[in-house]
Amino acid sequence: MPDKNFKPYTFDMPPVVFGTSGLGNLFVALPDEIKQEIVKECITHTNGKLIFDSAGKYGAGLALESLGKCLKALNVDPEDVIISNKLGWVRTELKTPEPTFEPGVWRDLKYDAEQHISYDGIIECFEQGNELLNGYIPQMVSVHDPDEYLAKAQSADEDEKLYNDILEAYRALETLRRDGKVKAIGVGAKDWRSIARVYNDVDLDWVMIANSMTIKSHPRSLLDFMKKLEDDGVQIINSAVFHSGYLIGGDYFDYKLIAADEPQNKTLVKWREDFFKLCAKFNIKPAEACVQFALMAPGVKSIALSTTNPKRVKDNIAMGGVSVPKAFWDEMISQELIDKKYFEFNTNTLS
């Protein structure tokens, strides 16, 4: 059970932290020189602490390995960078034509990965991740996507067993924190309800909410939970705020292809059309509106953004400081593109 006297560790977080899935060859195999240029751009254009979010699952450890190599090549002092490593997947030998996890997503991998959610498994993930990072030690650690792990359950008994595995994984993280090997432990998931479940049992320093608190979707129940986290001093990183890129012009919404001519997609397509028109009217980029809305949610300190194009890094960072006029939000409300209750709940967002 959580300790009522526990005080979360807090970082001085910038508005934007950098995702590293692209360094692990997500959808495209990037040359090493492009990866290094991406990391260099992150360093060049960041004011204050540099924060990277990575995971052993990204490219079966390739993202961690690439990040470590790039930081070393660029002579980055380990004291000048904060790394978040989401634990739960261990690099293994590749015995099949393509990796067995998330087939068709990762490109040109030389290794496979297996999920190890347990006390010993998390320690193994942490130690392997440190080796791959080439001398850079993560200060922030978490269990990777506990919601997906729990989704495997076929019964209440199995759900309880899987959840106990997660609690054992957090017992390992608490040991690492107690021993001073990491500064902060957290949780990240697409289904925020799994975050709330873990929070009931674990003293967390930070939370990453993915695909949930966005300009398109901002349920009151989630806002209530985020407000509780804020009141408890837990820092929140908001991620996947573009719904797989659909809100900024992509073809996928929450990883599902959206065909504009299919009846079930009519409402979503219309929402985006109206959103784009309003952004054009106010000369605001859709991505800027998405980021600024996501930053206004209770407790949010940073937005996690990633790219495979070095030229986009500067723009991604700049989006964290863009000013969006109140008139834009007023029209978003009047056109029922966002819920006015969001701003009633957040009394300071439009002041």
Side-chain angles (χ1 to χ4, degrees):
M1 294 296 292
D3 180 357
K4 64 180 181 180
N5 297 316
F6 174 76
K7 293 184 178 180
Y9 185 92
T10 58
F11 292 96
D12 183 14
M13 290 188 177
V16 174
V17 303
F18 304 106
T20 61
S21 54
L23 301 183
N25 290 1
L26 179 66
F27 298 127
V28 59
L30 295 177
D32 288 344
E33 56 268 25
I34 297 298
K35 294 180 181 181
Q36 184 167 314
E37 189 64 25
I38 290 171
V39 174
K40 182 180 179 180
E41 286 293 291
C42 294
I43 297 167
T44 300
H45 299 290
T46 296
N47 292 320
K49 271 297 185 186
L50 187 66
I51 302 182
F52 290 98
D53 175 64
S54 197
K57 188 180 184 182
Y58 294 166
L62 180 60
L64 292 168
E65 191 172 36
S66 297
L67 178 60
K69 286 181 179 179
C70 291
L71 292 172
K72 185 74 73 173
L74 294 166
N75 295 313
V76 176
D77 189 325
E79 294 297 320
D80 293 335
V81 60
I82 295 172
I83 297 173
S84 167
N85 188 7
K86 300 190 289 286
L87 307 173
W89 290 81
V90 174
R91 171 183 279 190
T92 60
E93 181 183 356
L94 183 62
K95 300 178 180 179
T96 51
E98 69 171 341
T100 56
F101 73 103
E102 297 180 338
V105 173
W106 305 96
R107 302 287 182 261
D108 296 351
L109 299 189
K110 298 179 181 179
Y111 297 92
D112 206 343
E114 292 179 354
Q115 193 170 38
H116 290 190
I117 305 287
S118 64
Y119 184 96
D120 291 337
I122 289 300
I123 297 298
E124 180 185 9
C125 291
F126 178 70
E127 292 175 347
Q128 184 184 81
N130 293 351
E131 292 178 6
L132 293 172
L133 282 167
N134 196 22
Y136 294 86
I137 307 299
Q139 299 92 329
M140 303 168 65
V141 290
S142 62
V143 176
H144 200 167
D145 292 337
D147 51 339
E148 293 182 6
Y149 189 69
L150 290 170
K152 298 188 296 184
Q154 299 295 312
S155 66
D157 287 344
E158 188 177 4
D159 174 84
E160 202 59 38
K161 178 184 179 301
L162 293 175
Y163 185 61
N164 187 66
D165 291 342
I166 292 171
L167 292 182
E168 281 296 293
Y170 273 102
R171 190 167 67 86
L173 296 187
E174 288 172 333
T175 299
L176 293 174
R177 181 174 61 187
R178 183 196 65 213
D179 292 347
K181 295 182 178 180
V182 301
K183 291 184 177 179
I185 66 174
V187 61
K190 299 177 184 69
D191 186 341
W192 68 269
R193 293 168 298 182
S194 67
I195 297 176
R197 184 177 180 181
V198 169
Y199 191 63
N200 284 331
D201 293 310
V202 182
D203 291 322
L204 299 175
D205 299 286
W206 60 276
V207 160
M208 176 178 279
I209 293 173
N211 249 42
S212 302
M213 177 49 61
T214 71
I215 200 169
K216 180 67 178 66
S217 175
H218 35 279
R220 178 58 187 263
S221 53
L222 175 53
L223 282 167
D224 288 337
F225 175 59
M226 293 173 74
K227 185 63 171 63
K228 174 176 173 49
L229 292 175
E230 182 179 43
D231 292 343
D232 290 347
V234 177
Q235 293 180 309
I236 300 173
I237 301 172
N238 205 348
S239 67
V241 299
F242 304 138
H243 285 287
S244 304
Y246 187 80
L247 302 191
I248 55 175
D251 296 325
Y252 289 81
F253 183 91
D254 291 353
Y255 312 102
K256 296 179 181 178
L257 182 64
I258 300 299
D261 57 351
E262 292 183 358
Q264 66 267 29
N265 297 328
K266 182 178 179 180
T267 300
L268 179 60
V269 171
K270 179 66 164 54
W271 187 96
R272 187 172 73 170
E273 289 175 350
D274 293 341
F275 173 54
F276 281 5
K277 288 177 183 177
L278 198 53
C279 287
K281 176 181 177 179
F282 283 88
N283 195 28
I284 297 169
K285 295 178 181 178
E288 294 172 344
C290 291
V291 167
Q292 285 303 312
F293 186 92
L295 278 170
M296 289 189 290
V300 173
K301 301 301 180 183
S302 299
I303 302 293
L305 298 176
S306 60
T307 183
T308 54
N309 184 349
K311 296 179 180 179
R312 291 180 183 164
V313 172
K314 184 178 179 180
D315 290 340
N316 281 354
I317 295 172
M319 284 194 293
V322 168
S323 177
V324 177
K326 180 178 181 298
F328 173 79
W329 301 122
D330 288 340
E331 285 212 34
M332 287 285 288
I333 291 170
S334 66
Q335 293 188 30
E336 298 184 347
L337 296 175
I338 55 177
D339 188 349
K340 67 178 181 180
K341 293 179 181 179
Y342 177 87
F343 294 103
E344 292 173 354
F345 185 92
N346 296 289
T347 56
N348 296 323
T349 55
L350 294 182
S351 59

